[in-house]
Every structure is written in C-alpha cells, then in structure tokens.
C-alpha cells in the first residue's frame, strides 16, 4: 500500500500514508501531524471528512485508483474495427437527446447512427441521423495525452424522420435556409450532405466489406449538398479518439456476474452549447464513452441499441426525475479527461443541513491519474434552486432588497458592521452569494432553529436544479515544478492561498461563485450519481458517485468559515483573541478533520458563536 500511495496523491491522502512524497511529474504531499492528516486542502489542510461514510469512501477511492491503474490503452491499428454503442441517453448542445451506435469497418469506412429523441429519457424517438465516410488513424494527440488524432471525411449524411410532424419541420427548414427540397415523408431517408464524386469514382462505403444491406444509392446530383451547418449537425468528435480496456477486480464484481473487462471508445469533446458549436476546439475527451458491443454483458440497454436500425430506433423507459438530495460525499468513478489536456479526480462533500460544501480537484498529466500536476481545494456555502429561471434581470433590485438599511436592527452593532462591510465588499456580487455569505457570517440563525432532520420531500426540488457554490476559501497545491514557478510558489507541495491569474489552466479563486446545474440519478448498478455542469452548458460532466453519507451539519467547518471570513475582511474584533495552538490542536484532534493551509486563526469574531 505504501508503494501504491507514493505514486498516487488521491490514494496517499485517503490512506494516511504521510511518507508519500510527490516530486516533479509525480504526486506531491507533505508530512502531516501524527500521520493522521495530509496537507492538501484549505487553510491548514484539514480535509473535512464525512463522519458516517468515511470507511466506505476510502474503500471506494482505493477501488477507483486500482481500476485506473489497471487500464490498458489499445493503440493497435485494428482497435476501431468494431461496433460501439452508448451506455445511456446522452445530451448534446441544444439540448438534444441522443443515443449513438457507431460501426467502423475493416476497409476504414464507418457507419454512424445517431438516434434523436424528444426528451431526456430517450423514450420518444424523433429522427435518425445517418453518416457514412472513412477514417484514418494518425499520430498521438499533442492536445490530449493518451489520445490519437485522426483524419476523416464524410461521404453522405441522411436524416430519417420518424413521424409526419418532424418530416414537415425538416422540409420547411431546409427550403428556407439551405436549398429547395422534395416533400419530406416519414421513414424516408433524405440526404442533407453529399460529397460530389468525380466521374468513375465510387464512394468508399460501397467497398466489399461494407454492410451493403444498409447502403443508400447516390442521389446522382451534379452539385454537392451541404446543409449540415444549417441543421447543427457535426461529426468533429471523430477528430480525436482513445480506446482503452478496463479490467475489473473480481473481488468487487457481483456474484454470478460474467463481467471481467470492458473496452471503451472515448471521442473528442463536443461543443457544450449552441453558441460554441462552430468555434469549439476540443482539448478533452467526452464524458460519455462508447462501449464495444462484444463487452457489454452488464449493459441493460445495449441489446436494444444493438438491434436498432435507422428506421427502428431503441426506445428506453421513461425515467421519473429523482429528488435533488445533494447531501453526502461524492467522488469521481474514474480518472476524467478535462479541458486543457489534463486528467482529474474530484471529491465533493455537501452538508445539506448547514448548506455548506467542500471540494477537492486533483489534476494529473496522464490518463491513469498517476502523474500529479496540482490540486485545488475549496469550501464555502451553497444555494440550491428548482428549475431554470432568470435571476439576472432584477439582480439590482434583489441586491437592494437584501441589504435595505432599514431592515438592520440597531440593537446589534457587531452584526450591522459585519453586514455593512460585507455588503461593501460584494457590492458587485450576485445576490445569492451575498445572502449565503451573510447568513454564514450572522450564524445563520434561521437555519439553526430548524430541526436537525432532513428536509421534507415536499420541499425538495426534483430533476435538474440550479446550484450556486459560493467559494469562501480556496488553496492551490502545486506538484509540478513548472506549476511552482508559474504560480510564484516556493516548493512543490507547499499550499498557496494567493497565486497569479492564469498560472494554472483550471483554478477556483475565492471569493467567487460556481454557477452549476445539478441532477441526481441512479447508475446501472443501482448507485446514486450526481451530475454537474456549468449553468450555460447543455452537456453534463462525468458523473460523481455517492460513496457515503455525511452528517447534515458540520459545526467546525461553519465556525471556521465564519471566523476566516471575519479575519479576511477585517470584521474581527481585536478585543478577543484566540489561542493559535489550542485552535490548531482542536482541529487536528477532531476525528474527521479537514485541513486548511493558510494562516492559522489569530482572532475571533466579537459575535458570540
């Protein structure tokens, strides 16, 4: 275990191996007090651990690390020559809801089927997009470690409308925006893109190894057809790909299961929203991978996808939205590809009773998350809202209402001064951050009066919700010497509470707000998963899975953040000081401490906590 922990900061931090040293292009940790704490987090690096589910989370994290290390990259010339399918209903910019079934043949040609649906369960099919062309593998990608660049071209793209309304919609749209069209009919394939072939040249997809039963005759037009941009159809995801084989530890596989390994195809990330569709440049792989169809024994929907055709798409069961109960400890289920050619693992803990959260993002330089680059740890409060609605139009009015001076009680001078200073500091901030931080500074009396039990189901939003994560503190831990130099650090592994802007590709600064969407779901295996994404994007990040519960409240975290905010913004009274040694000892001796690495507290708020 010591040898394993030395190569992986995630495992080292969770296993308590304080002798693990991370140097240039290797993970970085520093020795912690009594071997119980590893310095990787906020202020004096106290990882706010979940009291009830910590054992389960540590076991789950070790399992993820083992599985990532067992990944085998397939770089053989024949690695694409299979049929691949989605594992779930996927979301694209729009939003559009699709299921993919991609087949690559021995002669370098491909048949791509994208089934489109009317809603997020993929239970009501609308049309099928059929693409045919050829692809050639190239050199290793310079943008994404572990991926391969390709050269591909399309020969023809058809759309098969699956009802009369969709057929009329496409026909009218193309007549107005692209070219005159014959009458569109349901279940009749209509070309929307066709490359003009030279005389005596036949499309590559007529080759002997192509599935001729699913081929279409050429339209034999003298002019090429190209309506893809008008319809928002693109296949740039084929430009970069990675094929990998995941071996599963049989000790963790359900009894009687025949699952031993799975082969996955990850393609280049797609535009996250409509606005970026034609200017997007992929620097990461998609969060949803395709599974090779001969390794899908544990995929409950893959059989239906395998049997689907362009005229008979797979239909999934409609799924009722689950209550958005975010409380708990959530971790990455694997090493994830993120923007900037990096790979990461995430861990988020949410305390629903206190409306507090902590998070850690570990960034690596390789697809197995073994070469540590840097880490970001953050904490703060959050606000969760149901549905999507605009809050920006009346932000000025909401802000003024939140800070109406006539509402302040003159009987509490310390509270008034605290609110006034906070209002001045965040006069340009979003109302939700002001309200959330202000309630934390005031002690959040209203919430503290509520019983410790969880919210009633009638008051819990369901489905996709808006989530504002307000960052009160953040710390950067550089692990690569190049990061140390760019971020004006002194040595690898020494936390930074301040760093130059843009010294790392992905950073979380304080104070700030992460404006997200959140959705709770259930995976194939019955595990709860949490999907997050930026508010303006339609595509979800790779889901986090719940590894254990947390107490709904974390009093020490709340006290710390309140005191830290008071000190940071000059709201603390000099009349009362706190013993640094006692405060630090209290944190370290706490059974599930989370650790903070900036200045140790030197003063307390004059307000009675």
């Amino acid at each position: 275990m010591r040898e394993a922990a030395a190569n992986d900061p995630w495992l080292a931090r969770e296993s308590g191996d304080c002798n693990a040293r991370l140097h240039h292009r290797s993970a970085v940790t520093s020795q912690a007090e009594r071997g119980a704490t590893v310095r990787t987090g906020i202020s004096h690096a106290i990882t706010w651990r979940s009291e009830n589910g910590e054992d389960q989370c540590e076991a789950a994290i070790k399992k993820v690390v083992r599985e990532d290390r067992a990944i085998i990259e397939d770089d053989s010339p024949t690695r694409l020559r299979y049929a691949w399918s989605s594992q779930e209903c996927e979301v694209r910019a729009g939003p559009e809801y699709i299921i993919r079934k991609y087949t690559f043949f021995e002669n370098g040609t491909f048949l791509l089927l994208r089934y489109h649906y009317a809603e997020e369960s993929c239970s009501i099919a609308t049309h099928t997009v059929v693409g045919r062309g050829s692809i050639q593998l190239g050199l290793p990608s310079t943008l994404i470690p572990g991926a391969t660049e390709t050269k591909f071209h399309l020969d023809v793209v058809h759309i098969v409308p699956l009802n009369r309304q969709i057929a009329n919609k496409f026909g009218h749209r193309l007549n107005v925006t692209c070219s005159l069209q014959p009458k569109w009919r349901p279940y009749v394939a209509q070309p929307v893109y066709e490359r003009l072939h030279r005389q005596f040249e036949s499309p590559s997809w007529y080759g002997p190894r192509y599935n001729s039963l699913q081929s279409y005759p050429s339209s034999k037009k003298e002019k090429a057809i190209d309506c893809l941009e008008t319809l928002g159809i693109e296949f740039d995801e084929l430009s970069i790909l990675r094929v990998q084989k995941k071996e599963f530890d049989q000790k963790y596989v359900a009894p009687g299961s025949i699952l031993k390994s799975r082969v996955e195809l990850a393609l280049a990330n797609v535009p996250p929203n409509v606005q970026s569709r034609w200017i997007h440049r992929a620097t990461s792989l998609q969060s949803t991978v395709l599974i090779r169809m001969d390794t899908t024994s544990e995929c409950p929907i893959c059989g239906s996808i395998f049997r689907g055709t362009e005229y008979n798409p797979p239909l999934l069961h409609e799924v009722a939205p689950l209550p958005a109960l975010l409380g708990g400890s959530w971790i990455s289920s694997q090493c994830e590809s993120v923007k900037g050619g990096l790979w990461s693992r995430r861990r988020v803990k949410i305390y629903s009773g206190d409306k507090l959260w902590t998070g850690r993002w570990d960034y690596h330089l390789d697809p197995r998350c073994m070469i540590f680059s840097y880490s970001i740890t953050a904490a703060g409060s959050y606000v969760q809202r149901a549905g999507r609605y605009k809050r920006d139009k009346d932000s000025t009015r909401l802000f003024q209402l939140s800070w109406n001076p006539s509402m302040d009680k003159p009987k509490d001078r310390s509270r008034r001064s605290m609110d006034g200073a906070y209002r001045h500091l965040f006069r340009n901030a979003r109302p939700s951050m002001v309200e959330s931080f202000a309630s934390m500074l005031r002690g959040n009396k209203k919430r503290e009066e509520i019983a410790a039990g969880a919210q009633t189901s009638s008051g819990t939003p369901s489905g996709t919700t808006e989530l504002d994560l307000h960052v009160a503190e953040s710390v950067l831990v550089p692990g690569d010497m190049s990061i140390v130099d760019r971020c004006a650090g002194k040595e690898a592994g020494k936390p930074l509470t301040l760093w130059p802007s843009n010294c790392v590709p992905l950073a979380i600064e304080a104070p700030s707000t992460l404006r997200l969407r959140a959705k709770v779901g259930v995976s194939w295996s019955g595990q709860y998963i949490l999907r997050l994404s930026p508010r303006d994007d339609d595509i979800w990040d790779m889901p986090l899975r719940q590894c254990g519960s947390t107490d709904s409240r974390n009093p020490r975290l709340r006290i710390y953040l309140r005191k830290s905010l008071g000190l940071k913004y000059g709201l603390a009274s000099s009349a009362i000081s706190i013993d640094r040694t006692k405060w630090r000892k209290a944190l370290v001796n706490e059974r599930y401490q989370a650790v903070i690495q900036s200045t140790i507290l030197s003063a307390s708020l004059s307000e009675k906590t």
Side-chain angles (χ1 to χ4, degrees), residues 131-204:
R132 302 170 186 272
S134 60
I135 188 170
Q136 181 180 358
L137 297 176
L139 299 174
S141 172
T142 57
L143 296 175
I144 307 173
T148 301
E149 296 180 354
T150 71
K151 293 182 180 179
F152 73 95
H153 71 263
L154 291 169
D155 284 319
V156 63
V157 177
H158 289 81
I159 291 181
V160 180
L162 299 176
N163 60 58
R164 191 173 300 278
Q165 291 78 12
I166 296 297
N168 293 338
K169 173 184 171 182
F170 277 117
H172 175 73
R173 184 173 177 181
L174 292 180
N175 279 329
V176 173
T177 61
C178 188
S179 62
L180 291 178
Q181 298 283 311
K183 184 176 179 62
W184 281 54
R185 302 180 184 278
Y187 295 99
V188 175
Q190 295 286 352
V192 294
Y193 175 87
E194 188 169 354
R195 188 165 64 95
L196 183 63
H197 297 282
R198 299 173 183 173
Q199 190 176 9
F200 306 116
E201 178 188 4
S202 62
S204 59

Side-chain angles (χ1 to χ4, degrees), residues 162-367:
L162 299 176
N163 60 58
R164 191 173 300 278
Q165 291 78 12
I166 296 297
N168 293 338
K169 173 184 171 182
F170 277 117
H172 175 73
R173 184 173 177 181
L174 292 180
N175 279 329
V176 173
T177 61
C178 188
S179 62
L180 291 178
Q181 298 283 311
K183 184 176 179 62
W184 281 54
R185 302 180 184 278
Y187 295 99
V188 175
Q190 295 286 352
V192 294
Y193 175 87
E194 188 169 354
R195 188 165 64 95
L196 183 63
H197 297 282
R198 299 173 183 173
Q199 190 176 9
F200 306 116
E201 178 188 4
S202 62
S204 59
W205 45 271
Y206 277 135
R209 292 187 179 89
Y210 200 85
N211 187 350
S212 59
L213 295 177
Q214 293 183 332
S215 65
Y216 291 98
S218 172
S219 62
K220 298 181 181 180
K221 291 186 177 182
E222 296 182 359
K223 293 183 178 180
I225 306 171
D226 189 357
C227 299
L228 296 184
E229 185 171 352
T230 299
L231 298 174
I233 299 174
E234 49 86 21
F235 292 91
D236 289 343
E237 62 180 337
L238 298 176
S239 61
I240 301 176
L241 58 85
R242 171 181 168 84
V243 178
Q244 64 183 23
K245 182 178 181 180
K246 297 187 70 173
E247 299 284 352
F248 294 100
D249 191 336
Q250 296 304 300
K251 182 170 64 174
Y252 296 96
V253 174
S257 173
I258 61 174
L259 180 65
K260 294 184 179 180
S261 65
R262 183 172 68 217
V263 182
E264 300 174 343
L265 170 63
L267 299 176
N269 206 0
V270 293
N273 50 55
V274 174
Q275 292 74 20
S276 63
R277 179 170 278 159
W278 304 110
I279 60 174
H280 173 76
R281 185 188 184 197
T283 58
S284 65
L285 300 176
Q286 293 179 29
S287 60
T288 52
V289 298
L290 301 176
I291 304 181
R292 205 173 78 186
M293 284 198 170
D294 59 346
T295 64
T296 59
S297 59
E298 298 293 317
C299 173
I301 68 170
C302 291
S304 175
I305 298 174
F306 179 76
R307 295 187 295 271
T309 67
E310 54 264 51
Y311 301 102
N312 185 27
L315 300 178
L316 308 185
H317 294 292
E318 185 175 359
V319 178
L322 296 180
L325 300 173
L326 306 184
S329 188
W330 308 85
I331 64 171
S332 298
S333 58
Q334 66 181 69
C335 189
E336 305 168 350
S337 176
V338 295
K339 291 190 297 183
L342 295 174
W343 298 79
S344 79
R345 291 197 187 106
R346 297 170 289 159
R347 184 171 185 181
V348 178
K349 297 180 185 179
I350 298 178
Y351 302 91
S352 57
D354 282 336
K355 299 297 180 184
L356 300 179
W357 68 278
T358 67
R360 189 173 76 224
W361 292 258
D362 293 330
Y363 294 100
H364 303 258
L365 302 177
D366 68 305

Side-chain angles (χ1 to χ4, degrees), residues 371-432:
I371 306 175
F372 181 59
S373 180
Y374 69 96
S375 176
I376 297 287
T377 307
S381 57
Y382 73 90
V383 173
Q384 183 184 15
R385 294 182 294 268
R388 282 191 178 190
Y389 56 93
K390 299 290 184 183
R391 292 179 61 89
D392 295 339
K393 291 183 179 180
D394 299 324
S395 60
T396 304
R397 176 174 173 272
L398 287 172
F399 181 83
Q400 291 172 347
L401 288 177
S402 301
W403 296 104
N404 188 342
S406 63
M407 303 172 93
D408 286 337
K409 306 274 180 160
K411 64 182 180 180
D412 191 342
R413 292 187 177 182
S414 63
R415 181 175 300 175
R416 288 175 58 215
S417 64
M418 197 180 307
D419 288 354
Y422 210 68
R423 176 177 70 249
H424 173 74
L425 181 67
F426 293 104
R427 59 179 177 269
N428 296 322
R430 291 184 172 271
S432 62

